[in-house]
Amino acid sequence: MIETVVESIRVSLVTQHRVVLLREVGGDRHLPIWIGPFEAEAIAMAIQGVTSARPLPYDLLRTVIAEMGGEITEVAVTDLAQDVFYARIVIALNGRRIEIDSRPSDAIALAVRAKVPIYVDESVMERAGVQLEADEEAEAEPEPPEAERIEEGSSFDADLSVFREFINSLDLDDLDKK
Protein backbone atom coordinates (compact mmCIF):
# COMPACT_ATOMS: atom_id res chain seq x y z
CA MET A 1 0.00 0.00 0.00
CA ILE A 2 1.13 3.51 -0.84
CA GLU A 3 0.43 6.34 1.60
CA THR A 4 -1.11 9.41 -0.01
CA VAL A 5 -2.41 12.82 0.99
CA VAL A 6 -5.14 14.96 -0.48
CA GLU A 7 -3.25 17.44 -2.61
CA SER A 8 -6.22 19.34 -3.99
CA ILE A 9 -9.72 19.26 -5.32
CA ARG A 10 -10.13 20.57 -8.85
CA VAL A 11 -13.27 21.76 -10.60
CA SER A 12 -13.96 21.99 -14.30
CA LEU A 13 -15.79 25.24 -14.95
CA VAL A 14 -17.13 23.79 -18.20
CA THR A 15 -18.59 20.53 -16.86
CA GLN A 16 -18.66 21.25 -13.10
CA HIS A 17 -17.10 17.81 -12.49
CA ARG A 18 -14.82 17.52 -9.47
CA VAL A 19 -11.69 15.47 -9.06
CA VAL A 20 -9.74 14.86 -5.88
CA LEU A 21 -5.99 14.49 -6.40
CA LEU A 22 -4.26 12.12 -4.00
CA ARG A 23 -0.47 12.61 -4.02
CA GLU A 24 1.89 9.80 -3.13
CA VAL A 25 3.84 10.60 0.06
CA GLY A 26 7.52 10.67 -0.81
CA GLY A 27 6.82 10.31 -4.52
CA ASP A 28 5.55 12.18 -7.52
CA ARG A 29 2.57 10.10 -8.60
CA HIS A 30 -0.97 11.41 -8.24
CA LEU A 31 -4.23 9.50 -8.26
CA PRO A 32 -7.13 11.53 -9.68
CA ILE A 33 -10.58 10.31 -8.61
CA TRP A 34 -13.79 11.85 -9.90
CA ILE A 35 -16.12 12.73 -7.04
CA GLY A 36 -19.48 14.39 -6.56
CA PRO A 37 -19.99 18.03 -5.58
CA PHE A 38 -21.20 17.25 -2.05
CA GLU A 39 -18.25 14.97 -1.32
CA ALA A 40 -15.86 17.57 -2.77
CA GLU A 41 -17.31 20.24 -0.52
CA ALA A 42 -17.14 17.95 2.53
CA ILE A 43 -13.47 17.14 1.86
CA ALA A 44 -12.60 20.80 1.23
CA MET A 45 -14.36 21.88 4.45
CA ALA A 46 -12.41 19.36 6.52
CA ILE A 47 -9.09 20.30 4.93
CA GLN A 48 -9.77 23.98 5.60
CA GLY A 49 -10.92 23.31 9.17
CA VAL A 50 -14.42 24.64 8.47
CA THR A 51 -17.19 23.11 10.55
CA SER A 52 -20.82 22.81 9.61
CA ALA A 53 -23.59 24.18 11.82
CA ARG A 54 -25.04 20.66 11.90
CA PRO A 55 -23.11 17.40 11.51
CA LEU A 56 -22.51 16.18 7.98
CA PRO A 57 -22.92 12.43 7.40
CA TYR A 58 -19.13 12.00 7.73
CA ASP A 59 -19.10 13.78 11.09
CA LEU A 60 -22.04 11.64 12.20
CA LEU A 61 -20.33 8.41 11.15
CA ARG A 62 -17.10 9.36 12.90
CA THR A 63 -19.03 10.18 16.10
CA VAL A 64 -21.04 6.94 15.98
CA ILE A 65 -17.87 4.88 15.55
CA ALA A 66 -16.18 6.67 18.45
CA GLU A 67 -19.22 6.39 20.73
CA MET A 68 -19.34 2.64 20.08
CA GLY A 69 -15.71 2.36 21.20
CA GLY A 70 -14.17 2.11 17.75
CA GLU A 71 -11.38 4.08 16.15
CA ILE A 72 -10.91 4.77 12.47
CA THR A 73 -7.30 3.80 11.79
CA GLU A 74 -6.97 4.28 8.02
CA VAL A 75 -8.77 4.26 4.71
CA ALA A 76 -7.55 2.61 1.53
CA VAL A 77 -8.38 2.81 -2.16
CA THR A 78 -8.16 -0.91 -2.82
CA ASP A 79 -9.31 -1.61 -6.36
CA LEU A 80 -10.20 -0.23 -9.76
CA ALA A 81 -12.57 -2.29 -11.89
CA GLN A 82 -14.48 -1.16 -14.96
CA ASP A 83 -13.54 2.49 -14.30
CA VAL A 84 -14.91 2.33 -10.73
CA PHE A 85 -12.67 2.86 -7.70
CA TYR A 86 -13.28 0.87 -4.51
CA ALA A 87 -12.22 1.76 -0.99
CA ARG A 88 -12.24 0.37 2.55
CA ILE A 89 -12.56 2.14 5.89
CA VAL A 90 -10.52 0.34 8.57
CA ILE A 91 -11.80 0.47 12.14
CA ALA A 92 -10.21 -0.91 15.31
CA LEU A 93 -12.88 -2.15 17.72
CA ASN A 94 -12.38 -4.36 20.78
CA GLY A 95 -9.10 -5.71 19.46
CA ARG A 96 -10.59 -6.48 16.06
CA ARG A 97 -9.77 -4.97 12.70
CA ILE A 98 -12.99 -4.26 10.80
CA GLU A 99 -12.93 -3.29 7.12
CA ILE A 100 -15.99 -1.60 5.66
CA ASP A 101 -16.63 -1.22 1.93
CA SER A 102 -16.92 2.42 0.86
CA ARG A 103 -16.87 4.77 -2.06
CA PRO A 104 -13.44 6.45 -2.16
CA SER A 105 -14.98 9.92 -1.88
CA ASP A 106 -16.77 9.00 1.34
CA ALA A 107 -13.71 7.23 2.74
CA ILE A 108 -11.52 10.25 1.97
CA ALA A 109 -14.03 12.66 3.52
CA LEU A 110 -14.01 10.52 6.67
CA ALA A 111 -10.20 10.19 6.67
CA VAL A 112 -9.57 13.94 6.55
CA ARG A 113 -11.97 14.42 9.47
CA ALA A 114 -10.42 11.61 11.53
CA LYS A 115 -6.89 12.66 10.49
CA VAL A 116 -5.92 9.12 9.50
CA PRO A 117 -3.71 7.91 6.63
CA ILE A 118 -5.12 7.39 3.15
CA TYR A 119 -3.53 4.45 1.32
CA VAL A 120 -3.74 3.38 -2.31
CA ASP A 121 -3.08 -0.17 -3.47
CA GLU A 122 0.02 -0.36 -5.68
CA SER A 123 -1.94 -1.96 -8.54
CA VAL A 124 -4.44 0.90 -8.52
CA MET A 125 -1.66 3.50 -8.59
CA GLU A 126 0.06 1.59 -11.40
CA ARG A 127 -3.10 1.58 -13.55
CA ALA A 128 -4.58 5.00 -12.78
CA GLY A 129 -1.78 7.09 -11.28
CA VAL A 130 -0.35 10.01 -13.19
CA GLN A 131 2.90 11.90 -12.90
CA LEU A 132 2.65 15.65 -13.12
CA GLU A 133 5.61 17.58 -14.42
CA ALA A 134 6.49 20.78 -12.54
CA ASP A 135 4.71 23.09 -14.97
CA GLU A 136 1.87 20.63 -15.54
CA GLU A 137 1.26 20.40 -11.80
CA ALA A 138 0.28 24.04 -11.81
CA GLU A 139 -1.81 23.56 -14.95
CA ALA A 140 -3.44 20.21 -13.98
CA GLU A 141 -2.63 18.51 -17.28
CA PRO A 142 -1.23 15.12 -16.23
CA GLU A 143 -0.28 12.41 -18.70
CA PRO A 144 -0.79 8.89 -17.37
CA PRO A 145 2.31 6.69 -17.32
CA GLU A 146 0.30 3.99 -19.12
CA ALA A 147 0.18 6.16 -22.26
CA GLU A 148 3.60 4.88 -23.31
CA ARG A 149 2.63 1.22 -22.86
CA ILE A 150 -0.90 1.25 -24.30
CA GLU A 151 -1.34 0.59 -27.98
CA GLU A 152 -3.29 3.27 -29.79
CA GLY A 153 -6.76 2.18 -30.71
CA SER A 154 -7.12 -0.29 -27.83
CA SER A 155 -10.34 -0.11 -25.82
CA PHE A 156 -8.34 0.77 -22.69
CA ASP A 157 -6.67 3.63 -24.58
CA ALA A 158 -10.10 4.89 -25.62
CA ASP A 159 -11.28 4.77 -22.01
CA LEU A 160 -8.22 6.73 -20.87
CA SER A 161 -8.65 9.33 -23.60
CA VAL A 162 -11.93 10.45 -22.06
CA PHE A 163 -10.19 10.80 -18.71
CA ARG A 164 -7.27 12.71 -20.30
CA GLU A 165 -9.71 15.12 -21.98
CA PHE A 166 -11.43 15.70 -18.63
CA ILE A 167 -8.15 16.36 -16.80
CA ASN A 168 -7.04 18.74 -19.54
CA SER A 169 -10.31 20.70 -19.25
CA LEU A 170 -10.01 21.28 -15.49
CA ASP A 171 -9.82 24.81 -14.13
CA LEU A 172 -6.84 25.43 -11.89
CA ASP A 173 -8.78 27.07 -9.09
CA ASP A 174 -8.83 24.77 -6.09
CA LEU A 175 -11.94 24.82 -3.91
CA ASP A 176 -9.89 26.18 -1.04
CA LYS A 177 -9.27 29.36 -3.01
CA LYS A 178 -12.98 30.22 -3.27
Side-chain angles (χ1 to χ4, degrees), residues 156-169:
F156 193 66
D157 183 49
D159 291 343
L160 285 179
S161 69
V162 172
F163 184 71
R164 283 188 205 107
E165 289 171 18
F166 172 76
I167 291 291
N168 290 335
S169 72

Side-chain angles (χ1 to χ4, degrees), residues 104-120:
S105 56
D106 295 330
I108 293 166
L110 191 56
V112 294
R113 280 169 171 69
K115 295 177 179 29
V116 298
I118 302 168
Y119 295 103
V120 174

Side-chain angles (χ1 to χ4, degrees), residues 74-134:
E74 66 187 62
V75 301
V77 179
T78 56
D79 199 9
L80 171 62
Q82 299 177 346
D83 299 326
V84 176
F85 288 97
Y86 294 85
R88 308 287 286 170
I89 299 167
V90 180
I91 300 169
L93 178 67
N94 297 328
R96 294 182 16 216
R97 175 184 166 103
I98 302 169
E99 294 189 18
I100 300 172
D101 184 35
S102 175
R103 297 183 313 171
S105 56
D106 295 330
I108 293 166
L110 191 56
V112 294
R113 280 169 171 69
K115 295 177 179 29
V116 298
I118 302 168
Y119 295 103
V120 174
D121 188 88
E122 179 66 45
S123 68
V124 173
M125 189 65 86
E126 284 289 321
R127 289 185 290 167
V130 295
Q131 290 186 334
L132 303 179
E133 294 178 15

Side-chain angles (χ1 to χ4, degrees), residues 15-35:
T15 64
Q16 294 301 306
H17 288 115
R18 277 95 170 145
V19 68
V20 61
L21 282 177
L22 298 178
R23 181 182 45 82
E24 174 181 33
V25 171
D28 59 354
R29 292 183 295 179
H30 293 74
L31 182 66
I33 302 175
W34 295 0
I35 61 175

